[in-house]
Amino acid sequence: YDNVMAKVQALSNSVNRSTHHNDCVEEITGTTFLKPVCTRWFSEYYAVERVEKIGFEKVVECQTKLNLQPMTEANMSFLISFLKLMKPLVLAMEFLQKESNCFIGHLVTTNKGLQ
C-alpha cells in the first residue's frame, strides 16, 4: 500500500510543483493527476481513479519523462483492487453527505447495504 500510494503521490506532487511537468503530463494524457489531500474525504480514491483512467502505459510514460520510479503491473493491479474495494464506501458516503434529500433514515439502510 505505502509503496504504491507513494508513486501516486509522487505523480501529483510533480505536476503540482512544476508547470513544465504539468504541461508534459497534459501533453501525454490530455489531463493531469489529482493530489490526494488528507482533509478531503476520498481524495485518495479519486487520485487513484484518475491514475487508473489514464492507463498503465501512459502513467509509466509520464513517470519516465518526469524521472520518477515507474509503476509496475502489480502496482496497477493493486490500485484497481483498491478502487473495487473502496467504491461502495465512497458511494455510500457521497450519498450520506448530501445537503438536501438525505435523512437520518437513510443511515440504517445505507449501512446495511455496505454490510
Side-chain angles (χ1 to χ4, degrees):
Y1 174 85
D2 291 336
N3 179 31
V4 178
M5 291 305 174
K7 291 177 182 181
V8 173
Q9 185 73 44
L11 281 166
S12 63
N13 287 344
S14 186
V15 298
N16 283 304
R17 292 181 182 156
S18 168
T19 56
H20 174 69
H21 287 178
N22 190 47
D23 292 343
C24 289
V25 168
E26 282 188 7
E27 185 179 304
I28 294 168
T29 66
T31 187
T32 190
F33 296 103
L34 300 176
K35 183 169 181 69
V37 182
C38 64
T39 58
R40 307 286 275 157
W41 287 39
F42 305 118
S43 65
E44 185 175 65
Y45 175 86
Y46 294 123
V48 170
E49 185 179 54
R50 177 68 59 89
V51 169
E52 191 267 333
K53 282 182 182 177
I54 288 172
F56 177 71
E57 292 81 17
K58 287 185 179 182
V59 168
V60 171
E61 184 180 346
C62 290
Q63 288 171 317
T64 303
K65 194 156 191 167
L66 302 176
N67 296 320
L68 299 172
Q69 184 180 6
M71 186 132 353
T72 64
E73 288 186 35
N75 293 151
M76 188 60 89
S77 177
F78 176 86
L79 292 177
I80 291 168
S81 297
F82 172 83
L83 291 172
K84 286 179 184 176
L85 178 71
M86 292 298 293
K87 187 171 185 168
L89 182 60
V90 170
L91 293 175
M93 290 303 296
E94 284 177 347
F95 174 72
L96 291 173
Q97 66 187 10
K98 288 184 198 173
E99 290 188 27
S100 61
N101 297 325
C102 186
F103 306 99
I104 193 70
H106 292 132
L107 183 59
V108 172
T109 56
T110 302
N111 186 38
K112 288 292 183 186
L114 283 173
Q115 289 176 350

